[in-house]
Amino acid sequence: MRIYNTLMKKEEEFKPLKGNKVGIYFCGMTVQDSPHIGHLRAFLSGDILRRYLEYRGFEVTYILNFTDIDDKIIKKSWEEGVDWREIAQRYEKEYFEVEKSMNIKPASFYPRATQHIEEILNLVLKLEEKKFAYNVEGNVWYDVSKFKHYGKLSGKSIDELVEGARIEPDPTKKDPLDFSLWKKAKKKEPYFYSPFGKGRPGWHIECSAMSMKYLGETVDIHGGGQDLIFPHHENEIAQSEAATGKPFVRYWFHNGPVNLRGEKMSKSTGLFFRVLDVLKEYSPNVLKYFLLKSHYRSPLEYSRELVENAKSAWERIDNFINKGEIREIEIKNPETKEYIKKFEEYMDDDLNTPRVFALIFDLVKRGNLYYEKGDEKFLEIKSIVLLMLRILGFTDFERKIESKIVGDLLDIIIEIRQKLREEKRFDLSDKIRNDLKNLGIIIEDKKDKTSYKFV
RNA sequence: GGCGGCGUGGCCGAGUGGCUCAGGCAGCGGUUUGCAAAACCGCUUACCUCGGUUCGAUUCCGGGCGCCGCCUCCA
């Protein structure tokens, strides 16, 4: 398969370093606030990449980190008057709720920065030893001028960056571009002991240390949002390659941003932005479809209207997969197998999920026709659609019957209503349908039988 | 100001040097149906602008206009 490599600025054929084993390090959250749709898009992009590689037969080790100590976490803990660890754990927990609801495949490991202080310190010491770092009164800085390739990922040159510098440089830095490897603790700040004194890790070093620990000095794929390209990923390269002398990452994978225009992004305007809030109103499959109907690298506009649109579209797929028998069958027909080839062709092309959905909608149309005609091929088409949807991580397709007794009751109600319809007592049969609709149960009369679904 | 990207029909969104120019949503007209829903059939609206290359460009190249991201923590 081909994936777009930010480092090369083009699509490249993906080949792992070692056989069919693939290491992926994906930049997770700084656990300072609730996961929002932008985070979700990133995690979902990583999830699709991982699932598809696994489908293609690769053995994937997937690392998702948590940065669980940083300035904002500390600030928030002061504001709330609680321990900083409580903040980190709160949002980490929310991440896991999102992961579970959205059926994002759990990572192989979830390393936390604070659990890798030793690895981080070893890396900093190594950089200091190699003269890529300098210590000023307990603050250890990375000396950007020492790293020849600085800027190779983001396409920036050191000169430009100096001109464009917009923040007040820390007085202990030699150069405004230098970044922190180890940050000296100010009074009241949490700290860890180190050879440099009490302090905490800098802003980028944890990813370098943890990526190398779990996946080796050179990793196949390192991913995250495009907003991490600079400075986060650029600095990771500088640190890691200076320390090891080896390439840090072979393929850089970055997803596009989620934008909010028109309305201001704030809780007061009622614009839901937290994933857990959105999930109160829309199903995980609708949200997933919304995010995957655009290519992962394109910017994505988020609005209620657009999600509503996605909801209608998803219902078309959902209606189809809830038709007929629940049974799935093996795909034997060569004609049908061609569709799987198409699916692979599109996914191989840098995960072109929009084309995959075009294919799925074609199949839904064909499948519906077969269904109407009572053709056996219906089940085969449905099975392929389910196969593709599962590879993309959609889930929970089965009719949602809250319990057996609800199902049994509905069967009785529908039977009675059927009698009423036969007696042409439509006022009553329509009342039943309306009342059930108000409960969130949709009754649909088909030629031969009546079906129901929950909304 | 610098770097990068984008501009497709009412909306979203793929793609391609020419062959009906994906797909979804919305709209309209049918079929079906007691009605509704679902489904099927049909229809309507494209490729920002100006040049260039070409037999031919929405697709390649250049200018312009507009939009976005990054340049500061950020998925």
Side-chain angles (χ1 to χ4, degrees):
Chain A
M1 76 172 290
R2 275 161 293 122
I3 58 174
Y4 184 87
N5 186 349
T6 310
L7 186 60
M8 300 305 172
K9 296 187 171 43
K10 63 175 187 195
E11 273 184 25
E12 292 184 323
E13 185 64 32
F14 175 70
K15 281 255 189 297
L17 200 57
K18 291 176 203 157
N20 76 330
K21 292 198 194 315
V22 180
I24 302 179
Y25 184 96
F26 205 91
C27 272
M29 297 171 59
T30 297
V31 275
Q32 58 184 1
D33 216 329
S34 298
H36 60 240
I37 301 297
H39 292 120
L40 177 61
R41 188 177 194 205
F43 301 141
L44 195 56
S45 302
D47 188 52
I48 296 295
L49 173 67
R50 185 249 187 109
R51 283 174 185 271
Y52 188 65
L53 286 171
E54 286 178 349
Y55 166 77
R56 276 302 208 180
F58 294 104
E59 201 179 303
V60 179
T61 304
Y62 193 87
I63 304 295
L64 183 77
N65 74 288
F66 291 110
T67 298
D68 59 349
I69 177 89
D70 100 310
D71 293 4
K72 285 189 181 170
I73 294 172
I74 295 169
K75 187 165 171 256
K76 198 160 198 163
S77 79
W78 287 344
E79 282 167 5
E80 293 189 20
V82 298
D83 191 272
W84 60 276
R85 280 161 286 216
E86 196 177 316
I87 304 290
Q89 279 162 19
R90 179 194 306 161
Y91 297 116
E92 190 177 304
K93 191 169 159 254
E94 283 197 21
Y95 167 77
F96 282 112
E97 276 179 58
V98 167
E99 182 186 273
K100 186 159 185 265
S101 313
M102 290 303 298
N103 193 36
I104 288 169
K105 207 169 170 182
S108 314
F109 300 101
Y110 296 95
R112 280 92 173 158
T114 59
Q115 292 167 352
H116 294 80
I117 299 297
E118 194 184 330
E119 288 84 351
I120 289 168
L121 286 170
N122 285 338
L123 192 55
V124 178
L125 285 167
K126 199 165 179 181
L127 287 166
E128 197 184 33
E129 191 183 307
K130 291 193 166 190
K131 309 286 183 214
F132 281 97
Y134 57 95
N135 180 346
V136 182
E137 299 156 15
N139 279 305
V140 184
W141 302 98
Y142 184 93
D143 188 342
V144 167
S145 67
K146 295 276 172 61
F147 187 68
K148 284 197 289 288
H149 306 293
Y150 195 76
K152 69 176 176 180
L153 180 70
S154 55
K156 296 179 188 305
S157 73
I158 291 181
D159 298 344
E160 285 163 14
L161 288 164
V162 171
E163 282 174 34
R166 296 193 311 204
I167 52 160
E168 299 271 326
D170 185 295
T172 65
K173 283 185 190 182
K174 276 197 224 164
D175 186 292
L177 293 182
D178 292 349
F179 56 89
S180 176
L181 296 171
W182 187 260
K183 207 173 180 183
K184 184 181 181 176
K186 297 193 185 106
K187 54 184 175 301
K188 285 166 65 186
E189 285 180 349
Y191 56 83
F192 300 86
Y193 291 103
S194 85
F196 321 107
K198 293 174 183 174
R200 62 179 184 276
W203 303 284
H204 315 288
I205 193 74
E206 81 281 13
C207 284
S208 291
M210 296 190 291
S211 178
M212 290 193 227
K213 174 174 178 181
Y214 293 93
L215 298 167
E217 293 181 336
T218 299
V219 62
D220 290 306
I221 301 174
H222 190 121
Q226 280 169 1
D227 51 355
L228 293 181
I229 294 172
F230 189 88
H232 187 58
H233 289 334
E234 194 68 72
N235 290 353
E236 283 185 47
I237 292 175
Q239 292 163 346
S240 310
E241 300 193 352
T244 67
K246 293 177 188 164
F248 178 48
V249 173
R250 302 177 60 238
Y251 301 87
W252 284 96
F253 175 89
H254 292 105
N255 62 276
V258 176
N259 297 330
L260 291 139
R261 205 167 37 184
E263 284 184 75
K264 219 184 260 177
M265 176 193 107
S266 77
K267 281 170 194 166
S268 58
T269 58
L271 196 68
F272 35 88
F273 193 53
R274 292 169 74 234
V275 178
L276 292 174
D277 287 341
V278 176
L279 286 175
K280 285 176 192 161
E281 199 162 356
Y282 297 98
S283 75
N285 282 343
V286 166
L287 187 52
K288 189 169 282 205
Y289 171 75
F290 169 74
L291 292 166
L292 295 180
K293 78 186 189 12
S294 306
H295 186 86
Y296 78 90
R297 285 194 289 114
S298 310
L300 178 64
E301 189 64 25
Y302 183 85
S303 75
R304 194 193 171 87
E305 189 195 351
L306 291 166
V307 181
E308 281 292 331
N309 175 312
K311 185 183 173 189
S312 302
W314 173 257
E315 271 168 13
R316 186 166 160 75
I317 296 175
D318 201 44
N319 284 334
F320 173 68
I321 59 190
N322 277 311
K323 274 184 178 156
E325 293 177 60
I326 292 171
R327 182 164 73 91
E328 282 175 62
I329 59 169
E330 201 188 331
I331 290 114
K332 288 184 188 145
N333 192 332
E335 196 187 317
T336 319
K337 278 189 171 168
E338 283 299 310
Y339 294 119
I340 296 176
K341 285 213 183 94
K342 283 274 181 204
F343 168 78
E344 291 171 356
E345 184 189 323
Y346 299 153
M347 289 298 281
D348 279 347
D349 181 19
D350 195 29
L351 307 173
N352 194 335
T353 51
R355 291 195 84 170
V356 168
F357 281 110
L359 177 64
I360 286 175
F361 281 111
D362 280 345
L363 286 166
V364 166
K365 180 167 280 186
R366 282 169 194 278
N368 277 326
L369 283 167
Y370 286 134
Y371 180 73
E372 301 284 320
K373 284 191 282 185
D375 191 316
E376 266 293 306
K377 283 185 185 148
F378 161 72
L379 263 186
E380 193 160 325
I381 298 281
K382 178 169 148 178
S383 301
I384 298 194
V385 170
L386 285 169
L387 174 76
M388 293 177 189
L389 291 174
R390 287 215 176 85
I391 294 168
L392 296 177
F394 287 86
T395 188
D396 199 21
F397 307 120
E398 291 69 31
R399 290 189 183 89
K400 278 174 251 150
I401 296 170
E402 305 288 314
S403 65
K404 185 170 186 308
I405 195 153
V406 171
D408 290 348
L409 278 168
L410 277 168
D411 288 344
I412 292 167
I413 292 167
I414 284 169
E415 194 187 329
I416 293 168
R417 180 167 168 277
Q418 185 54 32
K419 288 265 192 306
L420 289 170
R421 291 176 68 217
E422 280 161 15
E423 292 167 19
K424 306 234 185 275
R425 296 176 63 184
F426 296 121
D427 52 337
L428 268 181
S429 67
D430 288 353
K431 178 179 163 45
I432 291 170
R433 187 169 61 196
N434 273 328
D435 290 353
L436 286 174
K437 190 181 175 188
N438 291 335
L439 295 177
I441 300 164
I442 303 292
I443 296 293
E444 291 175 357
D445 297 321
K446 309 282 168 59
K447 267 180 202 140
D448 42 351
K449 66 179 269 200
T450 293
S451 66
Y452 58 86
K453 65 178 181 185
F454 293 83
V455 288

